[in-house]
Amino acid sequence: MRVLILGGTTEASALARLLADDARFETTLSLAGRTSAPRAQPIATRVGGFGGIDGQVRYLRDHGIDAVIDATHPYAAQISAHAVAASAETGIALASLVRRPWQRQDGDRWQEVASTPDAAAALGAAPRRVFLSLGRQDLHLFATAPQHHYIARLIEMPQQVGLPPDLVLVRQRGPFDLEAERRLLVDERIEVIVSKNSGGDATYPKIAAARALVLPVVMIARPDKPVGHVVTSAEDAVNWLVHARSPSRRGV
Ligand code: NAP
């Protein structure tokens, strides 16, 4: 069975490892190409956009893909919308590996906002020391609130155009541990954190550290992301694959 994983996440890599040694599947991992040095993968990898829905449809047909697993990031809504549309057009089975969001716990001081521009506005008029843990694509949106001192942690350096003026960049790749996160927040005298509700373990320690330090977190809500058949772990995805048969290839 030819499988395409839409990846870029810890779960996608875990699924790639599970499928790598499974002779029932011939699997390719697709990455957006957001990082110039992605982690090595144990299966074939392709990098870069498909060229919209039409491009994805063409790729699925040209490569004889039997099933797609969308294991992209919870905030990567466009690729998921394209995957749902391409599945509808081709009849190729689609499952979505959905990471559960973090839940607010006692002691959390979250302010939930609908979007990244809303997060910038929620920081208020008075200058604050802000930790941005969002990825580089959204940093420019904080240029609308130039009065704050920002510290942004990134895997890859952003383009230097249109960024807020008082911004320090820290280049690091997760996972991060609680003590290191606590130390970062204390050493940098952070007053507020801006985060996406990514879910999962790899980036949760900053949320736990904020709770321990009684720091507020401006939490950007997840986008509505179209999904196929929902699975919640790499193991579930393999079980689904075992039973999935694309209508277009049934009986072939
Ligand atoms: P997006 O807005 O859903 O995707 C934009 C375009 O990138 C897609 O239309 C597609 O191009 C291409 N693309 C995305 N994922 C792909 C994949 N796995 N394989 C091939 N092409 C892919 O997603 P985004 O712009 O990458 O990210 C949006 C937000 O998601 C970011 O702000 C970040 O917070 C979060 N995020 C994304 C990733 C990631 O690996 N993408 C990882 C961590 C966090 P075509 O239309 O040309 O096919």
Side-chain angles (χ1 to χ4, degrees):
M1 186 179 205
R2 286 197 185 146
V3 178
L4 177 69
I5 303 172
L6 302 174
T9 57
T10 315
E11 291 80 4
S13 299
L15 180 58
R17 282 194 297 279
L18 277 182
L19 295 180
D21 299 323
D22 193 324
R24 292 172 296 181
F25 308 108
E26 192 183 311
T27 311
T28 301
L29 176 68
S30 176
L31 299 173
R34 303 282 174 245
T35 52
S36 55
R39 291 183 199 281
Q41 298 290 338
I43 58 171
T45 303
R46 67 162 297 286
V47 180
F50 296 97
I53 298 166
D54 291 348
Q56 200 175 131
V57 165
R58 216 173 309 118
Y59 179 93
L60 298 177
R61 289 187 170 140
D62 289 352
H63 292 80
I65 301 294
D66 297 296
V68 178
I69 298 180
D70 175 6
T72 54
H73 192 265
Y75 288 75
Q78 188 169 303
I79 185 70
S80 299
H82 291 180
V84 167
S87 168
E89 191 168 330
T90 57
I92 294 170
L94 170 71
S96 304
L97 212 172
V98 177
R99 200 193 281 172
R100 290 194 186 90
W102 298 318
Q103 299 299 323
R104 190 194 289 259
Q105 295 190 18
D106 284 350
D108 280 332
R109 294 177 59 203
W110 292 5
Q111 178 183 358
E112 285 172 269
V113 296
S115 67
T116 308
D118 287 355
L123 294 172
R128 298 168 92 184
R129 295 181 67 85
V130 184
F131 180 49
L132 298 177
S133 172
L134 302 160
R136 76 193 144 121
Q137 281 167 271
D138 291 342
L139 288 185
H140 66 284
L141 297 169
F142 291 86
T144 56
Q147 68 276 30
H148 306 297
H149 172 74
Y150 296 100
I151 294 177
R153 181 170 56 202
L154 307 155
I155 297 175
E156 197 96 346
M157 286 296 112
Q159 304 218 322
Q160 299 297 324
V161 187
L163 299 178
D166 188 0
L167 170 67
V168 173
L169 301 168
V170 179
R171 192 170 178 183
Q172 277 178 347
R173 192 196 288 247
F176 306 101
D177 70 61
L178 178 59
E179 182 45 31
E181 295 295 62
R182 206 193 58 78
R183 207 175 323 116
L184 174 77
L185 297 174
V186 170
D187 289 352
E188 298 294 345
R189 292 177 287 118
I190 296 298
E191 295 168 289
V192 56
I193 296 167
V194 180
S195 178
K196 293 178 174 170
N197 192 338
S198 297
D201 299 332
T203 59
Y204 188 70
K206 69 181 174 219
I207 304 298
R211 184 185 311 127
L213 296 168
V214 202
L215 286 179
V217 176
V218 177
M219 189 68 86
I220 302 164
R222 288 186 172 197
D224 266 339
K225 201 167 133 102
V227 288
H229 175 84
V230 172
V231 293
T232 53
S233 68
E235 291 76 13
D236 282 354
V238 177
N239 285 335
W240 173 81
L241 278 175
V242 170
H243 298 104
R245 300 275 304 192
S246 303
S248 59
R249 294 176 72 85
R250 266 182 203 139
V252 174

